[in-house]
Amino acid sequence: MPLQYPLSAVVAPHADRADDMTLALVLTTISPEVGGVLVRGEKGTAKSTTVRALASVLPPIEVVTGDRFSSAPGDTSPDGTWPLDAETETRPVRLVELPVGATEDRVLGSLHLSKVLADGVAEYEPGLLARAHRGILYVDEVNLLHDHLVDLLLDAAAMGRSTVERDGVSVAHAARFVLVGTMNPEEGELRPQLLDRFGLTVEIAAPRDPRLRAEVVRRRLAFDADPEAFVASYADAERALTDRIVAARKLLPEVELTDAVLTKVAEVCAAFEVDGMRADIVTTRTAVAHAAWHGRTTVTRADIRQAALLALPHRRRRNPFDAPGLDEDLLDAILGDEEPEPEPPLPPEPEGDGDSEGPGDEGLDTGPGGPTRPPSEDGPTRPPNDSDGGDQPSETEDQGLDTPPRPSGATRPPIEGEGATRPPSEGEGATRPAMESVIGAADPYKVRRFEVTGTGAGESGKRSRALTTNGRRAGIDPTGQGGLHLVETIRAAAPHQRSRGRTDGRIRFEQADLRTARREGREANLVLFCVDASGSMAARKRMEQVKTAILSLLLDAYQRRDKVGLVTFRADSAEVALPPTHSVDIAAKRLADLPAGGRTPLAEGLLTAAEVLRIERVRDPRRRPLLIVITDGRATHGPDAVTRSRRAAGWIAEQGTSAVVVDCEQGPMRLGLAGQLATQMQATHLPIAEVSAQALAGVARVA
């Protein structure tokens, strides 16, 4: 087994404060009830390296020998209740990695198919949740995981139990694990409802200090050159981390949680207007774990501050375009400069359930016998790699050396008479002509659902009809790609039992009997916006309406798990403002900065969009595209502008691309050019005022 990079050797991204990622991971292992950690960050920022290194510093666990569910003596598992004197063994904590393409059967477990067919015995085969019990379940790129699987993981993590009711199997087993998800926001966001189910969240970035970056490279090269020697050099620091985690776990039940602490946490959560009560509970648990991590039995202002910084930022998002974060100045103002005074004790309950108050209740005071190392009130406390200096950056295989690429223009197929339409390079167009303007959008609204025609077979989503691995059962799948259809398999084998010499109660199957289910559901698509940003669109009211419609369509694409892209055309060229991506956040930011002005190179815009779709068909052939052209239909740039636009529209129609033309033309004198363009593209024509779902309440689908 290859050696893992040591956790104590991971360099923190900021020299002036602690490594929030490492701290969050440690706190949730001290108190798993916190609910797991979501790590958001750009590529190359040591996300995977740090998570994998965490397992090596966790203390080993004692399990019943031979148990498939990692039960401790005295625990109850589907295999039985183990006596306290059961034979046990000690093993390291497991780090179970859940691949993005995992199926629900693999996650939850299901019927042991080979034993059913061969022996006629219905036996449950445990899934990844059972294997991760009392360990770490790690999901890399959790934002790309199917929503129903994320729901399963978060429910199991919150309840500490997994229940399976399927295929004639009824099993419930413990599933207490630390859930860790990592993601790159460039690939799209998690839904706010799912974000809230993660206990803590951390935003990380590569260090910008050249000295820290050099230290990252130095350590990584040393590890790659001689892993054994490098790991051995950090052995003492790793043992110190393990001992400190063990001590914090033992101290956790002794940490005093006073009414003053609960009131202060409630004040913080109320001030930041978070929804529900989960934020209060998670913040309180995190503050208690933070106090135990620092060897204290009382919760201080610094504990609450650090807990709020980890537990609240992602819970303030109301829609996908809200930037996560927390106003630290407001947080400090709420907490105050001094430790809060304890509130008067509440009258005791009639039964006297232990809520006794007295002179020893000093609120948030640390007290004389307490902390071995009290934290500073100016910010987060030192990270777990204190033995290593604690002020170095977060590290990875190729630590943050990449930055998101700037979008560039796509090449286009030539067309007769086409003028110079090369997209401007990064250095061109830096100064914006005076005739350009940037106009904002209003609040988005609910839009009508646009679908790609026909039945696809792409990634599971919520837009167009498709054959998927999940969904309603709609017959037999002739390709054999679906899940086993047990009833149809038995029905196919039944007529042949006598000819196969069946003499006992077991059904005899052959390969030809196997039948798979044909399931119909919804798929995610590529929604490519081709936006006219010319002078004819630059009127304030019109451009505001256009941007609001696009923002609303982006929100719809986010909810339906689509990829999105943005092509704009104005002046004398077209530009790929955003290559296809899962991140609608970036698309919304590019839209906000979209200038308008100049002539209308309609042909160039259509051909650029067609080229982007061609490249995406090669890159991701299963994801069907939907082209949304937003224009008034005018073509005013270059020789034979109208003729070239018609040819470009016809070429798109020949490719069989599903398209919608959103007509932005307004006023009493209308030319109807957008309607003609839609006819030439064999696309749906839709006035911009009818994009809203409320505009045509009786229409359910436009394709």
Side-chain angles (χ1 to χ4, degrees):
M1 183 176 179
L3 294 174
Q4 291 292 343
Y5 194 92
L7 182 63
S8 54
V10 175
V11 193
H14 304 282
D16 58 343
R17 64 182 178 89
D19 182 2
D20 288 343
M21 177 179 175
T22 305
L23 179 61
L25 292 173
V26 168
L27 294 181
T28 198
T29 56
I30 293 172
S31 178
E33 293 80 7
V34 166
V37 181
L38 175 66
V39 183
R40 297 160 41 91
E42 59 194 23
K43 51 187 173 291
T45 48
K47 299 186 296 292
S48 299
T49 299
T50 305
V51 175
R52 294 189 178 101
L54 174 66
S56 61
V57 300
L58 295 181
I61 60 174
E62 186 179 25
V63 299
V64 174
T65 303
D67 180 55
R68 300 178 300 167
F69 300 91
S70 300
S71 302
D75 286 352
T76 300
S77 76
D79 291 343
T81 301
W82 301 105
L84 295 176
D85 59 350
E87 183 179 352
T88 63
E89 61 183 0
T90 300
R91 64 164 175 78
V93 170
R94 285 176 180 160
L95 174 69
V96 178
E97 297 194 36
L98 176 64
V100 171
T103 63
E104 187 174 331
D105 290 350
R106 188 70 188 95
V107 175
L108 287 178
S110 63
L111 201 63
H112 200 302
L113 188 58
S114 62
K115 291 192 176 182
V116 171
L117 298 180
D119 304 329
V121 177
E123 183 177 318
Y124 170 70
E125 183 177 14
L128 294 177
L129 294 185
R131 180 173 175 78
H133 178 46
R134 302 175 67 193
I136 301 172
L137 184 62
Y138 173 45
V139 187
D140 193 14
E141 304 295 349
V142 66
N143 52 326
L144 303 183
L145 198 65
H146 292 311
D147 287 346
H148 71 286
L149 291 183
V150 177
D151 288 332
L152 290 176
L153 296 180
L154 296 176
D155 285 342
M159 302 299 295
R161 197 160 192 80
S162 175
T163 303
V164 182
E165 298 284 353
R166 59 186 305 158
D167 300 329
V169 174
S170 179
V171 174
H173 63 83
R176 295 186 298 274
F177 51 81
V178 174
L179 177 62
V180 180
T182 57
M183 58 175 282
N184 184 349
E186 293 178 11
E187 292 297 328
E189 292 285 354
L190 280 174
R191 291 184 286 120
Q193 297 89 337
L194 299 181
L195 272 175
D196 181 63
R197 298 298 298 275
F198 278 95
L200 309 178
T201 188
V202 179
E203 295 273 348
I204 62 172
R208 299 300 179 230
D209 186 342
R211 293 173 298 174
L212 297 181
R213 297 175 74 96
E215 179 63 21
V216 169
V217 175
R218 186 179 299 109
R219 293 190 187 187
R220 187 70 215 186
L221 293 179
F223 174 77
D224 292 340
D226 192 347
E228 293 185 0
F230 187 84
V231 170
S233 66
Y234 284 90
D236 293 340
E238 296 286 278
R239 281 192 294 271
L241 279 177
T242 302
D243 294 342
R244 191 174 175 187
I245 292 174
V246 171
R249 287 180 176 178
K250 292 180 179 178
L251 188 62
L252 186 69
E254 302 177 17
V255 177
E256 183 181 9
L257 191 58
T258 64
D259 286 337
V261 172
L262 294 175
T263 301
K264 185 59 68 175
V265 169
E267 289 176 0
V268 171
C269 294
F272 284 105
E273 299 180 346
V274 295
D275 295 331
M277 296 300 299
R278 184 176 286 115
D280 302 62
I281 296 172
V282 172
T283 303
T284 302
R285 288 172 171 166
T286 306
V288 171
H290 192 264
W293 174 242
H294 287 278
R296 289 185 264 100
T297 57
T298 54
V299 178
T300 67
R301 171 188 179 276
D303 296 325
I304 299 175
R305 186 183 193 278
Q306 184 63 69
L309 291 174
L310 296 175
L312 298 186
H314 60 299
R315 292 186 165 86
R316 301 190 64 240
R317 295 189 61 164
R318 297 298 188 271
N319 64 68
F321 306 132
D322 291 341
L326 205 65
D327 186 343
E328 295 192 30
D329 292 336
L330 175 59
L331 177 60
D332 290 335
I334 299 169
L335 292 174
D337 295 331
E338 303 294 335
E339 302 289 358
E341 293 295 331
E343 292 188 348
L346 296 175
E349 297 293 334
E351 285 82 14
D353 54 8
D355 264 345
S356 60
E357 302 278 331
D361 182 10
E362 296 299 330
L364 298 181
D365 290 341
T366 55
T372 56
R373 191 177 55 189
S376 168
E377 295 184 0
D378 295 331
T381 51
R382 292 173 64 85
N385 55 347
D386 291 337
S387 58
D388 188 19
D391 56 354
Q392 304 281 344
S394 187
E395 191 291 334
T396 179
E397 276 108 347
D398 39 330
Q399 165 103 23
L401 298 179
D402 301 336
T403 54
R406 294 180 61 86
S408 58
T411 57
R412 302 184 296 276
I415 196 166
E416 184 179 355
E418 180 180 6
T421 59
R422 181 179 59 85
S425 66
E426 185 175 332
E428 297 172 348
T431 56
R432 184 173 293 164
M435 60 187 299
E436 292 185 4
S437 61
V438 177
I439 301 171
D443 293 335
Y445 48 76
K446 184 178 181 180
V447 300
R448 300 166 61 178
R449 185 171 73 192
F450 300 94
E451 293 187 11
V452 178
T453 56
T455 302
E459 297 294 333
S460 179
K462 298 181 180 181
R463 183 171 296 278
S464 304
R465 182 181 176 185
L467 299 178
T468 58
T469 56
N470 50 51
R472 67 182 183 89
R473 188 174 291 172
I476 304 300
D477 183 5
T479 65
Q481 299 299 314
L484 177 68
H485 198 314
L486 188 58
V487 174
E488 293 297 330
T489 299
I490 295 175
R491 184 175 295 170
H496 308 290
Q497 295 305 297
R498 180 173 297 179
S499 62
R500 294 174 184 174
R502 174 183 173 184
T503 59
D504 52 16
R506 298 178 182 175
I507 300 177
R508 297 195 174 186
F509 294 94
E510 292 184 357
Q511 185 70 29
D513 300 329
L514 294 180
R515 299 289 187 271
T516 55
R518 179 178 182 270
R519 297 184 180 274
E520 287 190 2
R522 293 281 172 181
E523 68 175 356
N525 299 109
L526 165 62
V527 180
L528 181 64
F529 295 92
C530 184
V531 182
D532 184 350
S534 63
S536 63
M537 304 284 290
R540 174 168 294 277
K541 184 175 180 181
R542 177 181 293 187
M543 183 51 69
E544 178 180 336
Q545 191 176 16
V546 168
K547 286 192 175 184
T548 302
I550 300 174
L551 192 65
S552 303
L553 290 166
L554 282 173
L555 181 60
D556 180 69
Y558 166 83
Q559 294 169 341
R560 301 187 187 281
R561 317 309 291 164
D562 296 318
K563 289 180 71 173
V564 296
L566 179 62
V567 172
T568 63
F569 55 94
R570 53 174 294 279
D572 60 353
S573 63
E575 178 185 8
V576 183
L578 179 68
T581 175
H582 285 283
S583 179
V584 297
D585 291 26
I586 299 178
K589 292 175 183 176
R590 300 285 168 84
L591 175 68
D593 297 333
L594 178 65
R599 291 184 172 273
T600 310
L602 179 58
E604 287 75 10
L606 295 177
L607 290 174
T608 300
E611 178 65 8
V612 172
L613 295 179
R614 184 191 69 79
I615 294 174
E616 285 299 308
R617 284 193 186 99
V618 175
R619 181 178 300 166
D620 191 359
R622 297 179 64 230
R623 189 181 294 271
R624 298 188 298 161
L626 175 64
L627 176 62
I628 299 181
V629 181
I630 302 177
T631 181
D632 56 9
R634 290 181 173 86
T636 60
H637 167 68
D640 300 324
V642 175
T643 301
R644 290 188 298 109
S645 299
R646 291 174 179 173
R647 290 174 179 170
W651 190 74
I652 290 176
E654 292 176 1
Q655 307 307 308
T657 302
S658 294
V660 176
V661 176
V662 177
D663 189 350
C664 301
E665 192 174 30
Q666 296 176 333
M669 300 296 294
R670 302 188 182 186
L671 302 178
L673 298 178
Q676 298 176 20
L677 177 66
T679 301
Q680 295 155 2
M681 292 177 59
Q682 299 180 14
T684 298
H685 173 253
L686 188 69
I688 192 169
E690 297 180 8
V691 172
S692 169
Q694 297 177 350
L696 293 177
V699 178
R701 182 173 65 187
V702 176

